[in-house]
Amino acid sequence: MSKKDCGNHDTFWCSCKIKKKYRKILISLAILIVLVLLAILIVWLALRPTKPQYYLQDMIVYNLNLTGPTYLSTTIQVTLKSHNPNDHIGIYYDKLDVYAIYKGQQITIPTELPTQYQGHDDVSIWSPYLYGIDVPLAPYLTVALEQDEAAGYVLIQVRVEGRLRWKVGTWISGHYHIDVNCPAFLMVGGDGAGDHGFHYKPVTQCNVEV
């Protein structure tokens, strides 16, 4: 660009030079940002994080009683095992809540697990207590629970919900929602039943959605 293109005054000429300089800096920064993001994407796709695995190892039922025509009181202790199967990716658990469900209805209040970092191929075990006092039940659920206990089995769902972040090297992702569903098959009475009349029988690995 010539001096004439910018006008006949030196101030205009200097202004054009400054604008060109800033334009080059901005373009260079934009290219650098794109390259960094591209490198992160390539690493992310190459490593491809595998969602964590959860297992319901044990369940102790201290109380699962109808306290009125349509009220249920529950005290349960569960033992949950979480495994990070990734070799090069860590997991930050920023929030995890555990609660119990019976036929689609939540029967305990959420119990919050401690936040923690789970390293490569690491294992975490939690044993929280789940409580529900005089939880209102739909009338048909009261009938269903009585029928299940009479039949000798009760199916409870242990749910874990929360937020996690992936860690690849020094890079940490944004938050992802995690939803874990663990079926707990409780036998009523019989061999192996505890003092409170229930015996936990492991069914399958928990279903995990991230």
Side-chain angles (χ1 to χ4, degrees):
M1 181 181 292
S2 67
K3 187 174 181 180
K4 184 178 179 180
D5 294 328
C6 288
N8 296 321
H9 301 285
D10 291 340
T11 54
F12 291 160
W13 171 249
C14 292
S15 176
C16 281
K17 290 183 67 177
I18 292 172
K19 287 181 179 179
K20 287 180 64 179
K21 182 178 179 180
Y22 279 127
R23 190 180 297 115
K24 289 181 179 179
I25 293 174
L26 291 174
I27 291 173
S28 299
L29 285 175
I31 292 173
L32 179 61
I33 291 172
V34 170
L35 291 175
V36 170
L37 293 176
L38 183 60
I40 292 173
L41 179 61
I42 292 172
V43 171
W44 179 262
L45 292 175
L47 296 175
R48 189 72 64 141
T50 301
K51 57 190 177 182
Q53 300 165 343
Y54 276 73
Y55 306 87
L56 182 60
Q57 291 189 317
D58 196 14
M59 171 183 279
I60 301 174
V61 179
Y62 295 100
N63 180 25
L64 185 65
N65 296 322
L66 292 169
T67 54
T70 56
Y71 293 94
L72 178 68
S73 289
T74 309
T75 305
I76 299 172
Q77 185 182 18
V78 298
T79 300
L80 288 162
K81 175 184 175 181
S82 171
H83 172 226
N84 175 11
N86 296 286
D87 293 329
H88 304 287
I89 300 176
I91 301 175
Y92 281 104
Y93 287 111
D94 293 327
K95 182 176 176 59
L96 289 176
D97 289 326
V98 188
Y99 56 92
I101 289 178
Y102 174 69
K103 292 189 182 298
Q105 178 171 339
Q106 185 173 332
I107 58 173
T108 68
I109 61 174
T111 297
E112 187 171 352
L113 298 179
T115 59
Q116 72 172 81
Y117 173 73
Q118 193 174 57
H120 315 149
D121 200 33
D122 201 1
V123 172
S124 301
I125 296 178
W126 303 284
S127 296
Y129 285 87
L130 310 180
Y131 301 97
I133 301 175
D134 291 337
V135 177
L137 284 183
Y140 77 93
L141 288 179
T142 302
V143 175
L145 181 58
E146 291 175 338
Q147 291 175 343
D148 286 349
E149 289 185 346
Y153 62 88
V154 177
L155 181 61
I156 301 291
Q157 305 288 336
V158 176
R159 296 288 297 273
V160 182
E161 288 188 350
R163 299 191 306 271
L164 62 79
R165 291 175 294 161
W166 306 104
K167 183 177 184 294
V168 182
T170 59
W171 177 78
I172 300 175
S173 74
H175 284 105
Y176 286 79
H177 181 78
I178 180 171
D179 189 352
V180 182
N181 185 19
C182 303
F185 193 73
L186 299 174
M187 304 293 293
V188 181
D191 295 336
D195 295 337
H196 304 279
F198 293 95
H199 171 58
Y200 168 62
K201 182 179 180 181
V203 184
T204 60
Q205 179 178 327
C206 305
N207 180 59
V208 181
E209 297 292 338
V210 177

